[in-house]
């Protein structure tokens, strides 16, 4: 595995390679990331994983500071997986060139996390454009765990570049909580609670198939979760998986949730 610290090294290392698979991450790798990497290793000639905690996508400085970082462990994992390249850029390496693409979300896009984390997706898309220009991959592997991010990045990147976004299923722990680097920030009690919330919503989604008045049921569920688990919910909504519009039909839909459990913000979809 070659470690690449700057763009000159990267260009040299990738030169002459085709069918490059790219897995962008913010590190603190877990089995969710590993599933993306394994898919890339299977579908690409060479796989490059980036670890870059993107300051631009944090709408809160404290959140950026406390974001888990564990580079030593990450490198061990990547080496064991036989990843070809790991890209560890400094902040200035990524932002030294100007981004000529305008990033402005439509009003229809200002939903879910875009509504509650101002500037977040603009920061994500900006860095994804920069990374795609630097790496120039055939395929970029992204997780359904961050479903809104996946759809937005797909729309922007596939319009501007030849790279294809490959979506990958959400990987969950034994207790059904979606794996996330942020889970490390949860104490045992809250980790268990978050697992219960995930199981609750998996069961709830199945039950919705036989029900009517889904909007009311979701509103009731929101209050129930809030009281039962003492969480602050940003949103709990049923949306169409293609358009992300609010829907009353279970077919082609997902339940989207974002909530705070003791100041740690978790998102998931079912
Ligand atoms: P992050 O390091 O959190 O920015 O995530 C990097 C990539 O891994 C993104 O495409 C995420 O959607 C994906 N990812 C994170 N957690 C999971 C998970 N539990 N299952 C599948 N993909 C995930």
């Amino acid at each position: 595995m070659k470690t690449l610290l700057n763009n000159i090294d990267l260009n040299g290392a990738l030169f002459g390679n085709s069918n490059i698979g790219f897995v962008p991450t913010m590190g603190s790798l877990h089995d969710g990331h590993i599933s993306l990497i394994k898919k890339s290793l299977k579908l690409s000639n060479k796989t490059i994983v980036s670890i870059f905690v993107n300051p631009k996508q944090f709408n809160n400085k404290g959140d950026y500071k406390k974001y888990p970082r564990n580079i030593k462990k990450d490198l061990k994992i990547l080496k064991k997986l036989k990843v070809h390249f790991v890209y560890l850029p400094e902040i200035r390496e990524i932002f030294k060139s100007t981004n000529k693409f305008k990033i402005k979300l439509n009003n229809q896009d200002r939903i879910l996390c875009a509504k509650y984390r101002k500037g977040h997706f603009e920061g994500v898309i900006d860095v994804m454009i920069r990374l795609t220009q630097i790496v120039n991959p055939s395929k970029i592997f992204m997780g359904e765990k961050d479903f809104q991010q996946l759809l937005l990045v797909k729309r922007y990147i596939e319009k501007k570049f030849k790279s294809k976004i490959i979506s990958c299923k959400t990987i969950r722990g034994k207790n059904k909580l979606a794996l996330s680097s942020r889970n490390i920030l949860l104490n045992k009690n809250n980790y268990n609670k978050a697992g219960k919330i995930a199981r609750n919503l998996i069961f709830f989604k199945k039950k919705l198939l036989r029900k009517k008045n889904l909007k009311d049921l979701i509103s009731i569920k929101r209050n129930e979760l809030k009281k039962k688990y003492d969480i602050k919910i940003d949103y709990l909504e049923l949306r169409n998986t293609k358009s992300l519009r609010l829907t009353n039909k279970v077919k082609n839909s997902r339940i989207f949730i974002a909530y705070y459990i003791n100041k740690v913000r978790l998102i998931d979809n079912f």
Side-chain angles (χ1 to χ4, degrees):
M1 181 175 81
K2 247 191 195 151
T3 303
L4 311 167
L5 299 175
N6 57 58
N7 300 353
I8 296 174
D9 288 354
L10 181 139
N11 287 333
L14 296 187
F15 184 77
N17 284 299
S18 59
N19 190 12
I20 292 171
F22 176 38
V23 185
T25 82
M26 298 208 295
S28 276
L29 302 179
H30 50 66
D31 282 349
H33 299 113
I34 292 173
S35 76
L36 270 55
I37 294 167
K38 285 191 170 158
K39 198 160 177 178
S40 174
L41 287 166
K42 216 164 141 185
L43 297 179
S44 326
N45 292 345
K46 292 280 157 81
T47 289
I48 175 164
V49 176
S50 65
I51 298 177
F52 180 65
V53 184
N54 171 23
K56 267 207 166 181
Q57 72 185 67
F58 288 84
N59 47 331
N60 174 323
K61 258 201 176 148
D63 192 24
Y64 172 66
K65 276 205 178 129
K66 76 172 187 206
Y67 194 84
R69 292 161 170 89
N70 202 339
I71 196 72
K72 254 194 178 165
K73 190 172 158 221
D74 288 349
L75 289 175
K76 242 186 177 169
I77 291 171
L78 295 175
K79 215 169 172 183
K80 206 168 151 209
L81 285 168
K82 298 202 168 70
V83 162
H84 304 92
F85 306 107
V86 54
Y87 179 43
L88 307 173
E90 296 274 349
I91 292 178
R92 63 172 181 280
E93 194 72 22
I94 295 293
F95 295 109
K96 67 183 177 194
S97 59
T98 49
N99 183 356
K100 62 178 191 296
F101 297 109
K102 270 230 160 70
I103 302 156
K104 195 168 181 305
L105 297 191
N106 307 324
N107 279 342
Q108 291 127 276
D109 292 333
R110 300 190 182 280
I111 53 170
L112 302 170
C113 285
K115 182 170 159 191
Y116 289 90
R117 296 185 74 189
K118 294 265 174 318
H120 167 66
F121 286 120
E122 287 86 345
V124 171
I125 294 164
D126 177 54
V127 113
M128 281 305 298
I129 288 174
R130 292 168 186 277
L131 287 169
T132 305
Q133 279 175 320
I134 294 166
V135 176
N136 191 21
S138 302
K139 302 183 186 78
I140 304 175
F141 295 82
M142 300 187 74
E144 290 179 357
K145 152 83 170 45
D146 303 283
F147 201 83
Q148 189 180 13
Q149 165 177 284
L150 172 74
L151 291 195
L152 277 173
V153 169
K154 188 176 172 70
R155 202 168 78 210
Y156 272 81
I157 293 293
E158 293 188 349
K159 202 159 80 186
K160 294 177 169 61
F161 303 97
K162 281 194 185 141
S163 313
K164 287 270 164 286
I165 305 291
I166 311 292
S167 70
C168 306
K169 294 253 163 300
T170 300
I171 304 298
R172 298 180 180 280
K174 264 199 193 125
N175 71 349
K176 297 291 177 204
L177 176 62
L179 298 184
S180 163
S181 307
R182 289 177 192 272
N183 292 354
I184 294 172
L185 303 172
L186 298 172
N187 65 25
K188 202 167 175 198
N189 182 27
N190 286 333
Y191 178 81
N192 290 337
K193 245 194 212 179
K196 281 185 188 160
I197 292 167
R199 296 200 295 279
N200 190 313
L201 287 173
I202 290 168
F203 183 64
F204 176 65
K205 176 80 194 296
K206 276 192 191 140
K207 261 192 351 191
L208 283 187
L209 269 172
R210 292 175 266 115
K211 303 273 184 190
K212 284 195 178 122
N213 296 329
L214 305 191
K215 214 173 160 197
D216 294 344
L217 292 177
I218 288 167
S219 169
I220 292 166
K221 176 57 74 180
R222 185 184 166 125
N223 284 331
E224 178 203 312
L225 293 177
K226 210 171 113 190
K227 284 207 186 99
K228 200 166 173 184
Y229 299 109
D230 187 27
I231 53 173
K232 179 178 162 286
I233 299 178
D234 272 353
Y235 56 77
L236 179 75
E237 290 171 350
L238 188 71
R239 287 186 176 266
N240 179 277
T241 33
K242 284 219 172 80
S243 66
L244 284 190
R245 293 230 171 92
L246 283 168
T247 180
N248 256 321
K249 293 192 194 107
V250 179
K251 200 174 167 215
N252 297 326
S253 78
R254 284 182 190 231
I255 293 178
F256 292 87
I257 189 168
Y259 65 94
Y260 286 90
I261 188 162
N262 193 21
K263 297 200 178 126
V264 181
R265 189 174 191 273
L266 299 179
I267 62 168
D268 205 343
N269 60 85
F270 305 91

